Amino acid sequence: MKYKEGSEIRDAKAPSGPIEERWEKRKFSAKLVNPANKRKLHVIVVGTGLAGGSAAATLGELGYNVTSFCYQDSPRRAHSIAAQGGINAAKNYRGDGDSIYRLFYDTVKGGDFRARESNVYRLAQVSVNIIDQAVAQGVPFAREYGGLLDTRSFGGAQVSRTFYARGQTGQQLLLGAYQALERQVAAGTVTMHTRHEMLDLIVSDGRARGVIVRDMVTGEIERHVADAVVLATGGYGNVFFLSTNAKGCNTTAIWRAHERGAYFANPCYTQIHPTCIPVSGEYQSKLTLMSESLRNDGRVWVPLRKDDSRAPGDIPEQERDYYLERIYPAFGNLVPRDIASRAAKNVCDEGRGVGPGGLGVYLDFRDAIGRLGRDAVEKKYGNLFEMYERITGENPYDVPMRIYPAVHYTMGGLWVDYDLQSTIPGLFVIGEANFSDHGANRLGASALMQGLADGYFVLPTTIGDYLADGPYNDVDEEAVAAAELRVRDKIDRLLSVNGTRTPDSFHRELGKLMWDYCGMERTEESLRKALERIPELRAEFWQNVKVTGTAEELNQVLEKAGRVADFFDLAELMCLDALVRTESCGGHFRAESQDSDGEALRDDEHFAYVSAWERAPDGPVLHKEPLEYEYVKMTQRSYK
Ligand SMILES: Cc1cc2nc3c(=O)[nH]c(=O)nc-3n(C[C@H](O)[C@H](O)[C@H](O)COP(=O)(O)OP(=O)(O)OC[C@H]3O[C@@H](n4cnc5c(N)ncnc54)[C@H](O)[C@@H]3O)c2cc1C
C-alpha cells in the first residue's frame, strides 16, 4: 500500500512551563462561556460509556444543550460496564510512596515512551478528583476494615493505587455516570437517543457540525446538527474478531470521521491482555477477560519441561517455572501487559504451554488461598472465579486457571490535541476513541481513569474555549445533504450485493488474518502479506456479501455489514502503520527489533513520534508529531 509523508504536526494547545502548572494554565487561558449563553449552544455527544456518559452529564450540568446517542437500548449497556479490575488514582491512601509524579512516570514508562508528557501529567493530576466525584455519587468502592477506600496493585506499578468495586468496577462507575446523565435527561438539558447509530459526520465550512444517524429500530435516517460534536465511541479491538470487547464495539464512528478529515493516530498500537480464557474452538465468537487484578494474588507458571501432560496438581514445586517472577524479579507477576503477554507466548512457543493446543499458562491461587484463606480470596475475586467456572467447567479454587493473551484495548484512535480536539475544528474525541494518553501500551486500570478524566474534567473545560466563539452560523444545507447521501448510498450498496457470504464470515476471516499477521508479533513479511490479502478480501466482500432484510427495519445483518466494511479499511491502515514503524515499542512488537533478552527494542532516533494519518484521495499521508521528553528520561524499559 502506497503512502506519502506529509508535514509535521504539532499539538498547538499544549501549554509550556513547569509540568505541574500546565493544566491550570490551560484552564485559566481557556475562554469561558457565560451561563446564559450556554443553553444557546448545542453539543452532540456520541457514546454513553464512561467517557461519553460523564461528558454529556457534565455538559448538561453546566447548562449546555446536549444531544446524546448510543446504539444500545440503554446508556447503561455501553461496553464500559464490562470493566472489571479497577481504576487508578494517585491518592496515596496507603502511604506507599505514590504521588501524582509517580503515576505520571509509571504511565509514561508503561507506554514505552510514546505518550505525551503534558497529557499524562494532567491525567495523573485529575485522577484524584475522579475518585472523589465517584464517591460523592455513591459508587460503592471496596473499603478496608477501618472504612477507608481499599486499593490493590495493577501491572507496571510498585504501589497499590487501583480503586475497585470487586470485579465490577466499570459497572459501578457507569451506574454513577448514568445516574448523573439521567438527572440531566430529566432536567431537560440532555436529549437521549438510544438505538441510534452514527453513520457519518457533517462537516460544514471546515467545522464538525453534526451527525447522520440511523434509527436502528425503524431504519429511518436522521440529521442532527449542533455547534460541536464529541465522539466517545470506544475502541476498535473487534477488528480482530476475537477480543475481550463487547461484540458491538466497532470503529464506524471514528473511521467515518477519519474519512471526513480527522487524522488517525497510532493505529498499530493494540493491547494484548495476558490473562484471558484461552480460545476453545473454531466457532467461538468472543473471548473473556480474567481481570489483571487476579495477578495480585495469582501466580503465573508453566511446567519446566516441554510437553508435560501431567495435571497441574501432580507437578511438584521444583518442576514448575514461575517465569514472570524468574525473569522480572522486581515486578514479578505484575509486569505490564505487553511484557506478560509476550512472555506467555514465548513459553508456549517453547512447547511448555498447557491445555488444548498448548496455548495456555496457569494462573494459580493455591498459595494465596493457603496464605489468606478461601473466604478472603472469594471476597476479592468471587465473581471472576464464578465466571471462569461457568465458562470452563473448572473450579479455580481447586485447579489453577488457564489463561492466554487476547486482544483487549486499542491505544490508537483519532488524533487529538491537548484540548481533545481532532484535526477537524469542533470535533472532540474522548475515552478509548482517541489516542491520547497511553502511548504504545496502556497500564491496567488506566482506561477508566482516562475516560472519566476526559468526560468529567478535561473536555467540559476545553470545549468551552471552542464554544465561546459560537453559536456558529447556520449549517450548510448541501453539506448535510451530501453526508446523508453517503449514508444512504452505502446502505444501498451493501443491500444490493446479494452474494453468498455473511458479514460475520468475512469478519472472522479478517480477524484471523489480523491476529496472524498483525497480532502479538509482527514482521515485515507478515505485514506485507496482510496488506496484500486485505484488499483481496475486501473486494470479495463487496462482490459477495449477503445482507438479508431491508433498510427500513431492525436489521442486525445490515448493521454488521457496515461495521465490517469499515474494519477492512481500518485493518489496512493498522498494518501500514505497523509496517512503517520498524521499531518495537509496547504492544507493537516487530520481531526484527528485539534485544538479546527478546524484549522490545525501541528506536528513539527514528520513531519518537506519534503517527497521525490523513486519508487523502490518492492514499494515506503520514504526519509525524515529535515526542519530546523534558521530565522523564527515555530509557530502555526494565521491569527486572
Ligand atoms: C472485559 C474488559 C474489562 C476491562 N476492565 C478494565 C478495568 O478494570 N479498568 C480499566 O481502566 N479499563 C478496563 N477496560 C477498558 C475499559 O473498559 C474501556 O477502555 C472503557 O470502558 C472505554 O470507555 P469508553 O467510554 O471510551 O467507550 P465504551 O464504553 O466502549 O462506550 C462506547 C459508546 O459509544 C457508543 N457508540 C459507538 N459507536 C457508535 C455509533 N456509531 N453510533 C452511536 N453510538 C456509538 C456505544 O453505544 C457506547 O455507548 C476493560 C475492557 C474490557 C474489554
Side-chain angles (χ1 to χ4, degrees), residues 44-59 66 68-69 75 78-81 83 87 130 170 173-178 180-181 230-235 409 420 428-434 436 438 446-460:
I44 285 174
V45 181
V46 186
T48 60
L50 283 174
S54 59
T58 310
L59 293 173
V66 180
S68 166
F69 297 94
H79 160 68
S80 291
I81 201 117
I87 175 166
I130 298 171
L173 287 168
L174 191 60
L175 288 174
Y178 167 74
L181 179 63
V230 180
L231 297 185
T233 50
Y409 181 89
L420 306 179
F428 293 77
V429 192
I430 60 177
E432 193 174 337
N434 74 22
S436 66
H438 308 293
S446 288
L448 303 187
M449 172 172 72
Q450 182 224 329
L452 290 179
D454 288 359
Y456 281 133
F457 299 105
V458 180
L459 176 92

Side-chain angles (χ1 to χ4, degrees), residues 339-582:
I339 307 248
S341 292
R342 270 200 302 280
K345 180 178 183 300
N346 291 344
V347 293
C348 292
D349 288 352
E350 288 164 17
R352 297 196 288 139
V354 298
L359 290 179
V361 301
Y362 290 126
L363 179 62
D364 196 339
F365 291 86
R366 186 196 60 183
D367 292 354
I369 292 171
R371 193 176 68 247
L372 307 167
R374 185 183 155 132
D375 281 357
V377 171
E378 190 172 344
K379 272 203 184 100
K380 279 188 181 174
Y381 311 116
N383 69 315
L384 300 172
F385 276 47
E386 190 188 326
M387 190 158 74
Y388 181 86
E389 186 172 2
R390 282 201 200 165
I391 292 173
T392 63
E394 290 171 7
N395 180 349
Y397 293 102
D398 299 334
V399 287
M401 289 182 177
R402 279 177 300 107
I403 50 161
Y404 195 69
V407 171
H408 180 65
Y409 181 89
T410 44
M411 281 75 70
L414 291 186
W415 185 92
V416 288
D417 61 17
Y418 189 74
D419 280 2
L420 306 179
Q421 188 167 208
S422 73
T423 48
I424 303 177
L427 179 68
F428 293 77
V429 192
I430 60 177
E432 193 174 337
N434 74 22
F435 89 104
S436 66
D437 295 355
H438 308 293
N441 172 60
R442 173 177 71 79
L443 289 185
S446 288
L448 303 187
M449 172 172 72
Q450 182 224 329
L452 290 179
D454 288 359
Y456 281 133
F457 299 105
V458 180
L459 176 92
T461 305
T462 58
I463 202 173
D465 187 67
Y466 178 80
L467 291 170
D469 293 331
Y472 291 95
N473 297 337
D474 287 346
V475 183
D476 176 12
E477 187 51 34
E478 274 181 30
V480 181
E484 182 177 333
L485 192 65
R486 276 195 303 272
V487 167
R488 290 188 185 279
D489 271 358
K490 194 155 202 171
I491 290 174
D492 289 348
R493 270 180 77 200
L494 287 167
L495 283 163
S496 64
V497 178
N498 203 18
T500 58
R501 275 185 74 176
T502 62
D504 216 49
S505 86
F506 280 104
H507 188 189
R508 192 183 285 275
E509 191 173 341
L510 173 70
K512 169 120 183 31
L513 194 151
M514 288 299 284
W515 178 249
D516 289 345
Y517 297 146
C518 189
M520 235 191 302
E521 185 173 298
R522 297 113 187 239
T523 61
E524 174 168 0
E525 193 192 344
S526 74
L527 292 165
R528 288 201 188 279
K529 266 193 203 150
L531 284 168
E532 214 177 286
R533 186 65 192 122
I534 293 167
E536 291 168 1
L537 196 60
R538 177 176 43 213
E540 191 194 334
F541 173 87
W542 283 107
Q543 279 157 19
N544 196 22
V545 69
K546 170 102 184 156
V547 181
T548 50
T550 69
E552 292 79 31
E553 60 181 336
L554 173 72
N555 188 341
Q556 292 188 313
V557 186
L558 177 63
E559 291 162 21
K560 177 87 204 227
R563 295 171 190 175
V564 174
D566 294 331
F567 276 142
F568 274 116
D569 295 344
L570 166 71
E572 207 174 17
L573 189 66
M574 288 169 75
C575 293
L576 177 64
D577 190 42
L579 183 67
V580 172
R581 193 172 281 277
T582 56

Side-chain angles (χ1 to χ4, degrees), residues 585-627:
C585 57
H588 168 63
F589 190 74
R590 283 288 300 259
E592 301 92 340
S593 181
Q594 47 185 307
D595 67 14
S596 52
D597 292 333
E599 304 288 354
L601 187 62
R602 289 197 327 268
D603 174 357
D604 294 336
E605 196 189 328
H606 299 104
F607 292 99
Y609 64 78
V610 172
S611 50
W613 292 93
E614 178 189 358
R615 196 166 166 86
D618 52 348
V621 181
L622 172 61
H623 301 269
K624 296 177 179 171
E625 179 199 328
L627 287 166

Side-chain angles (χ1 to χ4, degrees), residues 2 38 93 203 220 272 288 315 403 468 530 548 559 614 628:
K2 287 207 178 89
K38 283 193 177 126
Y93 282 166
V203 181
E220 195 182 332
I272 316 280
T288 306
I315 302 181
I403 50 161
T548 50
E559 291 162 21
E614 178 189 358
E628 279 141 22

